[in-house]
Amino acid sequence: MSGLEDEKSSIVVFDGEEVVAVCLNAIKHCSTSSDTVSFDPHRDYSTEISNGTYERENANKLAAFVQVMEQDLAFLTGNSKKIFKIDVLCVSKSCQGQGVGRKLVEKSLENAVNEGCDYVATVATAAGLNILLEMPFFCFRNNGEVVFENLRDGGISGKLMGKRIAKSEKNEEEEEEEDLR
């Protein structure tokens, strides 16, 4: 997963020596291509899953799903050049319901602005940001079998969600200074 490769953008929360929350993030630089891939609700993703880079099949299933959801990311975000991706967010049971996840997202949004990104995006089952693309889980199959069923959160689809990042006044002033040079 790309968040593992982008230590600068990722966040780990400790309680003493214990890791209690993780938010793995990455910055994706996009080309200006506006090509899009047609969605086929009958497609089988067994090749993508079996060619995955992880030892465990379940990890490859999840990675393949995220890859499929993000394949048109640049197009769906209005051909954004620099996208801040929230790849993985998890909070230990002992810290759930205390706003830790919300704070991780807020800090990630702050990091996205500081990095000069023009969009933030994530793939999840729960709604949060603006939904750019939604894929019902029954459309994601491995050798004809539905991959994701009976999820704990009751999710029936995966969502690619995003939000355009408004430029701060500081960034606009810096751009104006660059234009004058």
Side-chain angles (χ1 to χ4, degrees):
M1 249 180 204
S2 55
L4 296 172
E5 300 164 8
D6 193 349
E7 197 173 309
K8 180 181 176 187
S9 301
S10 297
I11 306 165
V12 179
V13 179
F14 293 89
D15 183 9
E17 295 291 314
E18 181 182 356
V19 174
V20 294
V22 176
C23 191
L24 301 178
N25 301 319
I27 295 174
K28 178 176 178 152
H29 298 273
C30 301
S31 66
T32 57
S33 171
S34 62
D35 294 339
T36 181
V37 179
S38 298
F39 173 68
D40 178 3
H42 305 290
R43 181 170 171 205
D44 192 284
Y45 295 92
S46 58
T47 302
E48 290 85 347
I49 293 168
S50 63
N51 290 337
T53 59
Y54 297 100
E55 290 181 28
R56 296 185 179 253
E57 183 182 31
N58 283 344
N60 287 324
K61 289 175 179 177
L62 184 58
F65 184 79
V66 170
Q67 182 180 11
V68 167
M69 293 297 289
E70 291 181 349
Q71 68 187 354
D72 293 329
L73 188 57
F75 174 78
L76 292 168
T77 60
N79 292 321
S80 294
K81 304 273 187 288
K82 194 172 181 183
I83 300 171
F84 191 92
K85 295 186 336 153
I86 300 174
D87 287 326
V88 175
L89 189 147
C90 57
V91 178
S92 69
K93 283 193 180 239
S94 64
C95 292
Q96 290 177 1
Q98 299 175 30
V100 175
R102 180 177 21 81
K103 288 178 184 173
L104 285 171
V105 171
E106 289 170 358
K107 181 64 177 168
S108 294
L109 292 172
E110 181 182 314
N111 289 348
V113 169
N114 292 338
E115 290 295 327
C117 296
D118 50 9
Y119 219 93
V120 64
T122 190
V123 174
T125 57
L129 305 172
N130 299 323
I131 296 173
L132 305 173
L133 176 70
E134 186 169 7
M135 177 190 273
F137 288 138
F138 64 81
C139 292
F140 192 75
R141 296 177 203 73
N142 182 20
N143 294 317
E145 299 291 321
V146 174
V147 172
F148 302 113
E149 293 182 296
N150 303 318
L151 299 179
R152 286 184 184 170
D153 68 356
I156 58 171
S157 64
K159 298 162 189 70
L160 174 62
M161 297 177 286
K163 176 182 177 182
R164 182 161 305 283
I165 297 173
K167 291 184 179 184
S168 69
E169 289 180 23
K170 179 181 174 187
N171 289 345
E172 289 175 4
E173 287 174 12
E174 289 173 1
E175 285 180 4
E176 287 175 12
E177 287 177 18
E178 284 181 16
D179 288 342
L180 294 174
R181 288 184 202 151

